[in-house]
Amino acid sequence: MSAAQESGPFYHGTTADLLAGDLLSPGFPSNYRPDVIMNHIYFTALRDGAGLAAELAAELAPDHREPRVYLVEPTGGFEDDPNVTDKKFPGNPTRSYRSAEPIRVIAEVTDWTRLTSEALQQWRDRLTGLPPESRGEIVN
């Protein structure tokens, strides 16, 4: 794994109710493709980017869950997220990363920008209208 140049702070968006000190680890199903067990844990240096990930995870959850954003720190090396870097966006403007090592929760963040109801409906239509296997390849 090549070292990314970013130094943080870093954020993770999810529907999990976590506490400071909790570790998030790879080895669980993807929020976007539940048929794929993830080999990495993902995070970003953009607070609102993590908010978008949390909102999308909540939309795709089989039960009603609240989107949550956490300030996190990697416990090991990390690299640019190949699912967005150069594949979808040249360079890494989303400042998205992944690690095969756990990330540690520092604190919950509550001042992230929520999607408007219109934007959320557009994402809902795009995501829930597709079966999981059609939501795009994940470079795992």
Side-chain angles (χ1 to χ4, degrees), residues 21 26 46 59 62 65 69 80 88 93 105 121 134:
L46 300 177
E59 284 299 313
R65 296 186 188 175
V69 173
D80 289 349
K88 294 181 182 175
V105 173
Q121 184 62 50
S134 298

Side-chain angles (χ1 to χ4, degrees), residues 15-70:
T15 59
D17 187 4
L18 303 168
L19 299 172
D22 286 349
L23 294 175
L24 295 165
S25 301
F28 293 91
S30 165
N31 287 326
Y32 312 107
R33 294 275 313 271
D35 56 315
V36 176
I37 302 300
M38 301 305 293
N39 295 329
H40 300 87
I41 191 80
Y42 292 80
F43 55 97
T44 177
L46 300 177
R47 182 189 63 215
D48 291 343
L52 173 60
E55 297 241 46
L56 298 180
E59 284 299 313
L60 294 171
D63 51 357
H64 177 74
R65 296 186 188 175
E66 287 299 314
R68 297 176 181 272
V69 173
Y70 296 96

Side-chain angles (χ1 to χ4, degrees), residues 6-131:
E6 183 77 46
S7 62
F10 297 115
Y11 304 91
H12 179 80
T14 184
T15 59
D17 187 4
L18 303 168
L19 299 172
D22 286 349
L23 294 175
L24 295 165
S25 301
F28 293 91
S30 165
N31 287 326
Y32 312 107
R33 294 275 313 271
D35 56 315
V36 176
I37 302 300
M38 301 305 293
N39 295 329
H40 300 87
I41 191 80
Y42 292 80
F43 55 97
T44 177
L46 300 177
R47 182 189 63 215
D48 291 343
L52 173 60
E55 297 241 46
L56 298 180
E59 284 299 313
L60 294 171
D63 51 357
H64 177 74
R65 296 186 188 175
E66 287 299 314
R68 297 176 181 272
V69 173
Y70 296 96
L71 178 66
V72 298
E73 65 181 0
T75 64
F78 59 94
E79 64 187 359
D80 289 349
D81 175 0
N83 292 291
V84 292
T85 304
D86 295 331
K87 182 176 178 183
K88 294 181 182 175
F89 306 102
N92 190 357
T94 63
R95 296 171 65 195
S96 300
Y97 305 98
R98 71 180 191 177
S99 179
E101 302 297 322
I103 57 174
R104 180 176 295 108
V105 173
I106 305 303
E108 185 166 2
V109 176
T110 58
D111 63 344
W112 52 281
T113 304
R114 299 293 302 256
L115 293 176
T116 64
S117 57
E118 295 82 14
L120 192 55
Q121 184 62 50
Q122 288 176 336
W123 278 106
R124 184 181 298 120
D125 293 345
R126 287 172 48 188
L127 292 171
T128 59
L130 295 173

